[in-house]
Amino acid sequence: MELASKLLVSDKSISKWETGKGYPDITLLEPLARTLGVSVAELLSGELIENNNRSFNMLRSRFYVCPVCGNVITAAGNASITCCGINIPPLEAEAPGPNCPFPLNIEQVEDEYYVSIDHPMSKDHYISFMATLTGDHVELVKLYPEGPAEARFKMRGVREIFYYCNKHGLFVRKLK
């Protein structure tokens, strides 16, 4: 009855929702989620997303790329990400193998890393972004088709360099 009064619906409506005999109107999803103290994504998935990582480490960062619009999203750990109306899983990074056709070239120029990849940069096949991670910092450079596959990053504590090919996925190179 308390929930019904907060949402301005009948207690019979709430009962139907609880028993699976009915569902709330779509206009009630945000007020319902807010009243219950969860996100709309949590409400719809039925899973509570808890952040148990009290002292975060940026080296646990995850990258997400929307397959519809190409939006690049980073999170300091696992997250529930949606874009263009779909749930987006985190990308799984892999180390480029010894026979990788597009190796990462890293040069030290003063206090920066100059990173380049000899990779096609056409509208159909390109490197979408490069990023570096430190214990407290993510630096991401968005790249575009028909532009160069290169970027500069400050060297300060960089431990990993990521790059994402729209055809082959996410790759990571760990630095010593």
Side-chain angles (χ1 to χ4, degrees), residues 28-106:
L28 291 174
L29 290 181
E30 284 189 30
L32 178 59
R34 189 172 37 254
T35 302
L36 296 174
V38 297
S39 69
V40 173
E42 289 171 312
L43 182 66
L44 293 175
S45 71
E47 294 180 24
L48 185 61
I49 301 168
E50 292 185 47
N51 182 3
N52 296 324
N53 186 4
R54 300 287 182 237
S55 59
F56 71 91
N57 179 340
M58 294 307 285
L59 294 173
R60 294 185 185 134
S61 291
R62 304 299 302 261
F63 296 95
Y64 301 79
V65 175
C66 178
V68 177
C69 69
N71 194 9
V72 179
I73 304 153
T74 62
N78 288 326
S80 177
I81 305 289
T82 60
C83 189
C84 296
I86 59 173
N87 287 333
I88 303 170
L91 298 172
E92 295 294 329
E94 61 181 85
N99 299 323
C100 179
F102 310 115
L104 192 65
N105 304 306
I106 303 172

Side-chain angles (χ1 to χ4, degrees), residues 119-163:
H119 187 285
M121 292 295 282
S122 66
K123 289 184 180 183
D124 296 327
H125 191 195
Y126 58 93
I127 299 295
S128 174
F129 70 87
M130 290 185 199
T132 58
L133 292 182
T134 70
D136 63 356
H137 190 82
V138 173
E139 186 175 357
L140 186 135
V141 174
K142 179 74 174 116
L143 303 174
Y144 296 94
E146 300 174 0
E150 60 188 25
R152 287 181 177 263
F153 299 99
K154 291 289 185 190
M155 291 177 57
R156 62 174 184 265
V158 171
R159 297 203 195 143
E160 298 173 325
I161 299 177
F162 290 84
Y163 58 103

